[in-house]
Amino acid sequence: MTTKQQTEKEIKKRTVAELVEDIQSLTTEIQELYCSDAIPWVIGYSGGKDSTTVLQLVWNAIATLPQEKRTKTIHVITTDTLVENPIVSAWVSNSLKQMKTAAQEQEMPIEPHLLHPEVKESFWVCLIGKGYPAPRMRFRWCTARLKISPANRFIREMVRASGEVILVLGMRKAESNKRAIVMEKHEKGRVRDRLSPRASLINSLVYTPIEDWRNDEVWIYLNQWQNPWGNSNKDLFTMYRGATADNECPLVIDTSTPSCGDSRFGCWVCTMVNKDRSMEAMIQNDEEKEWMQPLLDIRNELDLRDDRHRRDFRRIYGKVELFERNIKGETSVEPIPGPYTKKWREHWLRRVLEAQTKIRSDGPEEMRNITLITEEELSAIRRIWLEEKHEFDDSLPRIYKKVTGKTFNDPRPGADNRLLGSDEWQVLEEICGDDAMHLELMAKLLDTERQYRTMSRRIGINEALEKCFNTSSRSKQEAIDNAHLKRDLKNAASQGDIQTIQLTLKAAATSVSSAVSEEQVLASTTAVETEESSSKASETDVNTTEQQTWASMKYPAKGKQR
């Protein structure tokens, strides 16, 4: 028996007559709460069964009030993460349009709002731009940025304007055992029935009218009570059924019967679950939804549990950090993987643009204008690559042109005004050869100088240049060895092990001395060779002696090799 089934079993099963009685009681409760004060309401609407049920209950309750009592605006908010399942996203968008029209026609104080995350916090800007790895339980960076922050911003604005706000949510204890525990915890601080304060949202109370409803009761209500803003609850039922593996969505009659409530709708890129079963089921059950296969392919490619080969050996701020890794009883100390490397960030950009182009070309008519990644996101990604990661080869416009066949027009003012570009990057690649860290360091130094060149007072440039050396001057192995050295010294110091500290420092000093000796020998040899060359040149013709540089010595012109 699953946790969800156990939770549902604990909730008392009611007859249809008892459900009807509860709906009537809720109608009265909603009306009394609405008319009791001037605190504005905010209903969280996702387009799913629970939020639809709550909104429908509130709408029908307020609709029976006389016009003079409908004085308080009810805000309906929906957060589009920009990576929502396209089918659900289209459903919600259409619902909001119908809602707005119906509210005006019925003179209902309901106002829908479609919210979005800030561009700098969007999924693709974080993953492709900054290099954040696909979300995991230990690094769940997506939920707060994509869902919570946009809603919280709206709620805080309402609190600033009105002083307080009541949030109406479709949370139910039967959803999961974890949800039941959280809701019971909040119940302890309730100010009245079904009104709970939230510490994370000042001056906000959460109202959960269907907290004790079961899945089957939700579907009974949606199928027996007409949707007041013109949506078809039958279509909603069909959408849930299509997202179930066996294409069936029965009402629950016992704990062994599956329900459409098990279908999960969310972001199509979500790697917090093992599989996107809803999208897989949609593609499997409906030939007309096979166009979604490129999205599923990207999602599955992102969902690689061991993706260290795709990621930098340093954290996003350039520092090597170590952790103890236990594999089959064997413990090893390894670097914590950082952001995706340049190669993989460019790869994900290419994959998303390819999927968008294919769907626009071969997808159904209603999806021909689909946008998987916006121009604003592309501009933000390009800015991060150029200004924060110092990748002045500016690969985004080239990738965009190659995949889409169109020129990328960056909306950011002055985006194309650059001193360094792909030509300079190619020269650096030729000079640095296979030494990736040398290329990175040179690029950072050159671009840092470029960023400060127009400033009348170049305050901070020394610190910026020093940061370049601190993060990129060592090879990968040297940086990892240095991190191990620091860790060993820290552990020895914490244990008061003076002998280990001395031995560790001595070994490090010996290693440095050897490196210095090699450099001195190399420098001496170079000096001697240069002096001999200069002497020979002087004997032939003093005026023909050319100034020697590191580049000219490494890449002598043809006919001048020694």
Side-chain angles (χ1 to χ4, degrees):
M1 184 183 296
T2 65
T3 302
K4 186 171 183 178
Q5 290 170 341
Q6 290 174 341
T7 305
E8 286 222 341
K9 189 176 181 180
E10 293 171 0
I11 297 176
K12 180 183 176 183
K13 185 170 177 64
R14 300 179 293 187
T15 63
V16 175
E18 289 174 330
L19 176 61
V20 172
E21 184 179 344
D22 186 37
I23 292 171
Q24 293 172 346
S25 175
L26 276 176
T27 299
T28 303
E29 179 181 286
I30 291 169
Q31 291 172 338
E32 291 177 351
L33 183 61
Y34 177 82
C35 296
S36 62
D37 52 47
I39 301 175
W41 282 18
V42 176
I43 300 179
Y45 176 74
S46 66
K49 65 185 192 309
D50 296 332
S51 61
T52 299
T53 297
V54 166
L55 178 55
Q56 189 166 307
L57 281 168
V58 172
W59 190 302
N60 289 334
I62 304 304
T64 58
L65 289 174
Q67 188 63 45
E68 62 272 13
K69 289 189 176 182
R70 304 180 199 172
T71 57
K72 189 163 61 177
T73 302
I74 299 174
H75 301 274
V76 179
I77 62 172
T78 297
T79 301
D80 180 2
T81 63
L82 302 179
V83 283
E84 296 290 330
N85 182 304
I87 301 295
V88 180
S89 180
W91 167 270
V92 172
S93 179
N94 185 59
S95 297
L96 293 180
K97 292 177 183 177
Q98 289 182 300
M99 208 178 292
K100 185 174 183 179
T101 302
Q104 293 173 346
E105 293 174 350
Q106 300 174 29
E107 297 183 334
M108 290 289 291
I110 292 177
E111 186 176 338
H113 305 267
L114 184 61
L115 311 179
H116 297 96
E118 293 184 88
V119 173
K120 65 180 181 180
E121 300 288 356
S122 75
F123 185 85
W124 294 126
V125 170
C126 288
L127 188 138
I128 297 177
K130 300 174 184 177
Y132 285 9
R136 293 284 182 258
M137 288 304 297
R138 293 186 178 182
F139 189 37
R140 190 172 183 170
W141 54 265
C142 52
T143 305
R145 288 174 170 83
L146 306 185
K147 293 187 176 182
I148 298 176
S149 292
N152 284 358
R153 279 199 305 272
F154 183 89
I155 293 166
R156 283 194 292 267
E157 289 174 4
M158 297 298 301
V159 170
R160 279 194 291 268
S162 306
E164 294 177 282
V165 70
I166 291 178
L167 306 178
V168 188
L169 304 177
M171 296 169 59
R172 294 184 301 110
K173 295 175 184 176
E175 290 181 67
S176 67
N177 189 46
K178 183 177 179 181
R179 176 59 60 86
I181 293 172
V182 171
M183 293 182 71
E184 287 170 2
K185 178 183 176 181
H186 288 304
E187 283 180 12
K188 297 177 181 178
R190 283 187 168 175
V191 296
R192 57 168 292 180
D193 290 346
R194 284 192 275 268
L195 276 178
S196 306
R198 284 292 191 275
S200 59
L201 294 171
I202 300 175
N203 293 353
S204 302
L205 292 173
V206 175
Y207 177 43
T208 51
I210 63 168
E211 60 183 20
D212 294 319
W213 284 32
R214 297 165 58 100
N215 278 338
D216 57 331
E217 292 174 334
V218 171
W219 285 119
I220 289 172
Y221 176 73
L222 291 176
N223 283 303
Q224 297 301 319
W225 275 261
Q226 186 175 359
N227 187 293
W229 60 89
N231 248 14
S232 171
N233 289 341
K234 303 291 185 185
D235 290 345
L236 178 64
F237 184 84
T238 301
M239 186 167 67
Y240 268 86
R241 183 179 61 189
T244 305
D246 55 6
N247 200 24
E248 293 184 2
C249 192
L251 297 184
V252 176
I253 57 175
D254 57 45
T255 56
S256 63
T257 307
S259 167
C260 278
D262 293 329
S263 300
R264 180 196 166 277
F265 290 124
C267 302
W268 64 266
V269 291
C270 185
T271 50
M272 298 300 297
V273 292
N274 291 330
K275 287 185 177 182
D276 190 338
R277 299 187 186 280
S278 62
M279 187 179 292
E280 287 181 353
M282 284 182 174
I283 296 171
Q284 172 188 326
N285 296 332
D286 190 347
E287 290 183 359
E288 294 182 358
K289 293 185 175 63
E290 289 181 356
W291 59 268
M292 298 172 68
Q293 187 63 49
L295 306 186
L296 185 61
D297 292 341
I298 293 175
R299 184 262 163 213
N300 291 339
E301 189 178 353
L302 276 170
D303 190 22
L304 183 65
R305 295 297 155 174
D306 187 4
D307 60 355
R308 287 177 298 168
H309 66 285
R310 297 175 174 177
R311 297 163 61 181
D312 202 311
F313 64 94
R314 298 157 295 180
R315 304 304 297 274
I316 199 165
Y317 40 84
K319 183 180 178 182
V320 177
E321 290 190 3
L322 305 174
F323 76 111
E324 289 189 3
R325 192 174 185 221
N326 193 314
I327 302 178
K328 297 180 180 180
E330 294 186 5
T331 302
S332 61
V333 179
E334 301 178 11
I336 299 175
Y340 287 128
T341 60
K342 183 177 189 294
K343 168 188 171 182
W344 282 99
R345 284 184 277 110
E346 292 175 349
H347 171 79
W348 296 128
L349 173 63
R350 196 175 295 109
R351 295 285 282 118
V352 174
L353 289 174
E354 286 171 350
Q356 178 175 281
T357 303
K358 182 174 178 58
I359 295 172
R360 286 181 176 181
S361 173
D362 305 333
E365 191 64 33
E366 64 272 16
M367 290 295 169
R368 292 295 173 91
N369 292 322
I370 192 172
T371 299
L372 300 181
I373 185 167
T374 66
E375 281 192 359
E376 290 75 17
E377 288 178 293
L378 289 169
S379 177
I381 290 169
R382 185 188 187 194
R383 186 199 64 78
I384 292 170
W385 287 3
L386 287 171
E387 297 182 7
E388 296 182 17
K389 297 187 179 295
H390 306 286
E391 295 167 356
F392 53 78
D393 59 323
D394 199 15
S395 59
L396 187 144
R398 293 199 307 276
I399 294 173
Y400 187 89
K401 175 73 173 180
K402 185 174 181 179
V403 175
T404 67
K406 301 177 182 178
T407 301
F408 176 63
N409 297 314
D410 199 325
R412 186 165 56 96
D416 295 317
N417 298 332
R418 296 176 292 107
L419 287 177
L420 300 173
S422 57
D423 292 341
E424 288 76 15
W425 187 273
Q426 186 176 355
V427 171
L428 274 185
E429 285 183 325
E430 292 175 356
I431 293 174
C432 298
D434 296 330
D435 193 341
M437 294 304 296
H438 192 192
L439 171 64
E440 181 181 293
L441 176 60
M442 294 299 103
K444 283 184 176 181
L445 292 173
L446 285 171
D447 198 56
T448 298
E449 166 62 26
R450 177 199 62 78
Q451 292 178 0
Y452 280 88
R453 65 179 291 275
T454 58
M455 297 182 181
S456 56
R457 298 183 63 190
R458 309 208 304 171
I459 298 175
I461 186 171
N462 290 334
E463 291 79 3
L465 292 173
E466 184 177 358
K467 183 180 178 182
C468 296
F469 282 105
N470 289 338
T471 58
S472 305
S473 60
R474 294 185 178 94
S475 68
K476 178 180 177 178
Q477 191 58 51
E478 288 173 341
I480 294 174
D481 290 343
N482 185 59
H484 278 279
L485 173 65
K486 290 181 178 179
R487 183 177 185 273
D488 293 342
L489 287 173
K490 184 178 180 180
N491 290 340
S494 64
Q495 298 171 6
D497 190 347
I498 305 299
Q499 184 177 4
T500 299
I501 293 176
Q502 291 175 339
L503 290 174
T504 304
L505 290 175
K506 184 177 180 180
T510 302
S511 176
V512 171
S513 298
S514 299
V516 171
S517 299
E518 290 177 4
E519 289 179 1
Q520 289 174 339
V521 171
L522 180 61
S524 300
T525 303
T526 303
V528 171
E529 290 179 350
T530 304
E531 186 176 351
E532 289 177 355
S533 298
S534 299
S535 299
K536 291 179 180 179
S538 299
E539 293 173 3
T540 306
D541 187 352
V542 176
N543 294 328
T544 61
T545 304
E546 297 180 0
Q547 184 179 359
Q548 295 292 311
T549 65
W550 174 77
S552 63
M553 290 172 66
K554 187 168 184 178
Y555 297 98
K558 289 183 178 180
K560 294 185 179 181
Q561 285 88 343
R562 290 176 295 165

